[in-house]
């Protein structure tokens, strides 16, 4: 069946429908990862977005047990070519069936290189995936311009508290849309990880006297998370060591008086170089975000830049003055992507007094 991707600037791509055939409007973003498409699909940070995969062949090893959450989160999926016959000893099914199972529409057979160039040059924009050949573009464009992702954290966070048992340090993980490998990375280092829903009050977390607090990644505009920012401000006021990733990094910055802004087309992929400003060393990182912290708006008595993006100079991490707190914009837990910065979990354990 024919399918169409219609962008808010009026550009139309024609391809083939994959997955569900329902019509969706979403923010269109691109990911440059060459592998790990299943981890991308199951990353909660993509809630409210449709993902373009820039690598031309997707699905060649099928669906494997590498999911980063219990289900896929993007509104839509856009690829150049979808493998019809996956081959891998761990394969449990095809992407086509996976998308149908979770009612996610997609489109294949379009020029994703051209689409990505448009998004890079004009910036991230909204779009529609539809199988309706009789669409009227003049009616669709206003709907596309009006679309907002809204507060999607409440959609992706866990429903109730859960615990990963361990014999080491006790870590409270605030689930803002956490990838599972964050908790695994801590648990594999011996930590007992208690996972809390995003809207848990700071008083409840602190009452259990954790050795450290982890703020996870998550989707959407950080400024939409007003209630969570208030609780993060209380966590900052405690003396508990805190490590934050991605959305957690942005929320800590907002909670301490800094500002965030939307990037032109975001950073999404497994090949982004970040520089440690203390050592000068460069790490290749996994990233997935459309907003960044404005390091020009920092109060240098509260926090100073710790990492910077080598490609565009945007902020990639903060070190907080007089506090056992550090935050990063990139993903040290990767999945998918390089493990260069996994040492940051060891640094966190050291901050908590562990070995």
């Amino acid at each position: 069946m024919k399918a169409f991707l219609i962008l808010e600037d009026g550009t139309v791509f024609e391809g083939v429908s994959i997955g569900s055939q329902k019509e969706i409007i979403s923010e269109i973003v691109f990911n440059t990862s060459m592998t790990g498409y299943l981890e991308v699909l199951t990353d909660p940070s993509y809630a409210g977005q449709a993902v373009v995969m820039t690598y031309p062949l997707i699905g060649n090893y099928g669906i494997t047990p590498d999911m980063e959450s219990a289900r896929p989160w993007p509104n839509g999926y856009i690829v150049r070519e979808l493998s019809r016959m996956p081959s891998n000893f761990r394969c449990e099914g095809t992407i086509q069936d996976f998308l149908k199972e979770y009612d996610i529409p997609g489109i294949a057979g379009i020029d994703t290189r051209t689409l990505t160039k448009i998004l890079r040059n004009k910036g991230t924009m909204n779009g529609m995936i539809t199988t309706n050949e009789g669409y009227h573009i003049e009616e669709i464009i206003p709907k596309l311009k009006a679309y907002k992702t809204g507060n999607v954290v409440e959609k992706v966070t866990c429903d109730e508290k859960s615990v990963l048992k361990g014999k080491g340090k006790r870590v409270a993980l605030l689930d803002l849309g956490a990838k599972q490998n964050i908790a695994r990375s801590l648990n594999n280092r011996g930590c007992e990880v208690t996972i809390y829903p995003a809207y848990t009050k700071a008083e409840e977390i602190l009452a259990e006297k954790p050795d450290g607090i982890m703020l996870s990644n998550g989707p959407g505009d950080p400024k939409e998370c007003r209630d969570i920012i208030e609780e993060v401000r209380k966590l900052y006021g405690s003396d508990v060591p805190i490590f934050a990733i991605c959305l957690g990094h942005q929320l800590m910055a907002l909670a301490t008086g800094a500002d965030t802004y939307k990037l032109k087309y975001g950073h999404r992929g497994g090949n982004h170089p970040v520089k440690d400003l203390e050592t000068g060393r460069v790490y290749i990182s996994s990233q997935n975000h459309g907003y960044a912290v404005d390091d020009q708006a920092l109060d240098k008595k509260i926090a100073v830049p710790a990492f910077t993006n080598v490609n565009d100079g945007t902020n990639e991490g903060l070190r907080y003055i007089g506090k056992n707190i550090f935050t990063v914009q990139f993903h040290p837990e990767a999945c998918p992507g390089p493990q260069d910065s996994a040492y940051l979990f060891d640094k966190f354990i050291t901050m908590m007094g562990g070995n």
Side-chain angles (χ1 to χ4, degrees):
M1 176 178 285
K2 285 183 181 179
F4 305 90
L5 171 64
I6 305 167
L7 300 181
E8 65 177 270
D9 70 346
T11 304
V12 179
F13 291 86
E14 180 180 326
V16 177
S17 173
I18 58 175
S20 167
Q21 292 176 5
K22 75 176 182 181
E23 184 174 278
I24 61 102
I25 293 176
S26 190
E27 183 179 51
I28 312 298
V29 300
F30 63 88
N31 184 294
T32 58
S33 297
M34 297 177 69
T35 61
Y37 55 77
L38 184 60
E39 293 94 324
V40 169
L41 274 169
T42 55
D43 182 347
S45 294
Y46 284 111
Q49 299 173 327
V51 183
V52 182
M53 300 300 294
T54 62
Y55 190 73
L57 178 62
I58 297 297
N60 54 318
Y61 52 86
I63 298 300
T64 57
D66 299 313
M67 294 171 63
E68 279 300 302
S69 62
R71 52 154 294 169
W73 290 105
N75 290 340
Y77 202 52
I78 303 161
V79 301
R80 175 68 184 91
E81 182 181 350
L82 191 67
S83 174
R84 291 170 295 169
M85 298 176 63
S87 176
N88 187 281
F89 73 99
R90 301 165 74 232
C91 179
E92 299 174 348
T94 67
I95 283 192
Q96 176 76 302
D97 290 339
F98 187 67
L99 295 175
K100 284 182 179 178
E101 178 184 354
Y102 290 97
D103 198 27
I104 296 174
I107 183 169
I110 70 169
D111 188 343
T112 51
R113 181 170 179 153
T114 295
L115 173 55
T116 301
K117 285 183 175 180
I118 290 172
L119 297 176
R120 280 180 59 93
N121 291 333
K122 295 186 177 181
T124 296
M125 62 181 83
N126 297 332
M128 172 185 282
I129 297 174
T130 181
T131 57
N132 177 16
E133 296 186 44
Y135 65 84
H136 297 286
I137 197 164
E138 65 277 3
E139 296 176 4
I140 292 172
I141 298 299
K143 295 178 182 178
L144 300 184
K145 291 182 181 295
Y147 174 79
K148 304 283 185 186
T149 57
N151 186 359
V152 276
V153 170
E154 60 187 8
K155 177 181 177 182
V156 301
T157 189
C158 59
D159 294 324
E160 58 187 11
K161 183 172 74 171
S162 61
V163 180
L164 282 176
K165 291 293 186 181
K167 296 181 179 179
K169 294 297 180 179
R170 296 168 57 249
V171 177
L173 170 58
L174 192 63
D175 177 12
L176 307 168
K179 291 163 63 184
Q180 291 181 356
N181 201 42
I182 294 177
R184 279 197 304 264
S185 296
L186 292 166
N187 195 233
N188 289 342
R189 289 165 169 81
C191 296
E192 178 171 293
V193 184
T194 303
I195 304 167
Y196 292 88
Y199 292 91
T200 304
K201 296 295 184 182
E203 291 83 0
E204 179 181 342
I205 295 172
L206 295 173
E208 298 195 17
K209 300 188 184 311
D211 296 305
I213 298 169
M214 183 95 218
L215 307 181
S216 82
N217 65 293
D221 182 346
K223 291 179 181 176
E224 293 282 344
C225 303
R226 287 176 284 273
D227 292 342
I228 301 174
I229 290 169
E230 288 302 314
E231 301 308 313
V232 170
R233 186 174 292 119
K234 297 174 189 175
L235 296 176
Y236 169 83
S238 74
D239 291 324
V240 181
I242 299 175
F243 178 24
I245 292 173
C246 199
L247 179 62
H249 155 77
Q250 297 165 1
L251 296 183
M252 180 60 76
L254 290 170
T256 53
D259 196 14
T260 58
Y261 62 97
K262 189 169 185 176
L263 295 166
K264 185 177 180 181
Y265 48 81
H267 301 152
R268 298 175 181 88
N271 55 355
H272 291 262
V274 296
K275 183 177 182 179
D276 184 328
L277 297 177
E278 185 177 358
T279 66
R281 184 170 181 177
V282 173
Y283 300 89
I284 303 302
S285 68
S286 175
Q287 301 200 13
N288 175 14
H289 61 103
Y291 294 82
V293 172
D294 182 1
D295 55 14
Q296 300 302 310
L298 289 175
D299 182 342
K300 299 301 193 294
K301 294 178 182 178
I302 294 177
V304 294
F307 288 89
T308 189
N309 190 296
V310 177
N311 287 336
D312 62 12
T314 54
N315 179 262
E316 291 285 355
L318 297 173
R319 177 173 56 83
Y320 285 78
I321 307 300
K323 293 280 187 177
N324 271 334
I325 300 175
F326 74 100
T327 67
V328 293
Q329 182 64 76
F330 52 95
H331 288 259
E333 86 288 349
C335 281
Q339 303 287 324
D340 292 29
S341 55
Y343 75 93
L344 293 174
F345 288 103
D346 300 322
K347 176 180 176 180
F348 181 44
I349 290 173
T350 301
M351 283 171 53
M352 292 186 287
N355 184 358

